[in-house]
DNA sequence: TATTGTTATACTCTATAACTATA
DNA sequence: TATAGTTATAGAGTATAACAATA
């Protein structure tokens, strides 16, 4: 007779943990007035000033129309500026404003708090080990911490 | 002068990794014809036969109307049965059908594949360490592997 | 009157397709 | 004609509120 296999729970628990971490960050930045997705976009633009919306869409693995909505909200909030590129007036250069830079500071603080909250149950040594393993997995799977993953690689179907 | 702090990336990478794991599972069960959310509900019902929809909603941290939709889909697919409770005809007892039980087997296979795929970049020793740490974190935060977390503790606002 | 489940409805997120302007 | 960005629209997921049946 076959013994009843114990189900492999790590993958599921990892999904749960990721969702938990994401939700926690969402709560923490609510006072800042940004969604996690918009926060990720702000960080990407800060990292690559002058990015075009098209390039941003590629970076996000998303579509131009989605980028319009995200940038609209950031621009309306005064965190990001759109400037027509004089060299090719079809392009919009995206840049972080001074106000946006201040928000980036708040986001970093929120990230630190989130990090501490999520890892709180681990002691210092465990935390270090865990961080190393998570980094290794993320790198191996080609994940970018600034790309908000609604719930993963859509493209094919909303698999929620 | 203050040195530029290196941002704490583990929380974000964990979100990414969780979304990645969830998306992978979603792909794997596409042939089965279930969404991850429905799959989680099926597992919960298997674990607690005769559950009422109200109780299920509580278990999911969701609302009764949401449960109706989820159970509708599972019942239409023939994986779950609704039976009025003779003792209190307001309740519907939820149970997994024979067909549902077969699907549960397929889900377990998919979970094993997902688990292997996600953890593939780690060697055996790292995998064991990682699994232990993930389990510890999930337990400490009170997470249930069968509760699909759209993207976290909604309840207050869709923080996507 | 309180509780279980259902239906009607609305809102958010995100994608596809059609459109405008620039090249 | 090709490309960047925008608008219109649609679909999936999930919530709130009103409702029906039962207690």
């Amino acid at each position: 007779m076959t013994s009843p296999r114990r189900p492999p729970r790590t993958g599921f628990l990892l999904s749960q943990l990721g969702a938990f971490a994401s939700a926690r960050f969402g709560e923490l930045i609510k006072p800042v007035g940004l969604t996690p997705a918009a926060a990720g976009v702000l960080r990407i633009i800060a990292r690559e000033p002058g990015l075009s919306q098209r390039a941003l869409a590629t970076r996000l693995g998303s579509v131009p129309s989605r980028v319009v909505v995200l940038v609209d909200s950031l621009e309306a909030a005064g965190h990001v500026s759109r400037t027509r590129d004089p060299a090719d007036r079809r392009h919009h250069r995206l840049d972080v404003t001074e106000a946006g830079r201040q928000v980036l500071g708040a986001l970093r603080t929120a990230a630190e708090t989130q990090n501490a909250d999520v890892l709180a149950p681990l002691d210092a040594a465990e935390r270090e080990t865990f961080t190393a393993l998570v980094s290794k997995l993320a790198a191996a799977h080609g994940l970018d911490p600034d790309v908000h993953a609604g719930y993963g690689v859509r493209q094919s179907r909303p698999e929620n």
Side-chain angles (χ1 to χ4, degrees), chain A residues 20 23 52-53 104 115 119 156:
Chain A
F20 174 80
S52 77
Q53 294 187 194
L104 280 168
N115 211 59
L119 302 182
S156 38

Side-chain angles (χ1 to χ4, degrees), chain A residues 8-22 118 130 133-134 137-138 141 143 151:
Chain A
R9 326 167 346 272
T10 308
F12 286 170
L13 290 178
L14 199 51
S15 296
Q16 285 295 116
L17 208 50
F20 174 80
S22 193
V118 171
F130 185 70
L133 293 174
V134 167
L137 284 175
H141 291 302
L143 303 176
Y151 225 39

Side-chain angles (χ1 to χ4, degrees), chain A residues 67-116:
Chain A
V67 170
V68 170
V69 176
L70 286 167
V71 172
D72 276 355
S73 71
L74 285 167
E75 191 184 36
H79 301 325
V80 156
S81 66
R82 273 181 173 110
T83 323
R84 296 200 90 96
D85 186 340
D88 183 339
R89 293 178 44 74
R90 290 174 302 182
H91 288 77
H92 279 169
R93 291 177 46 89
L94 301 174
D95 290 283
V96 176
T97 63
E98 193 44 54
R101 229 167 294 280
Q102 306 225 349
V103 166
L104 280 168
L107 292 181
R108 187 161 54 182
T109 301
E112 281 165 1
T113 302
Q114 176 224 28
N115 211 59

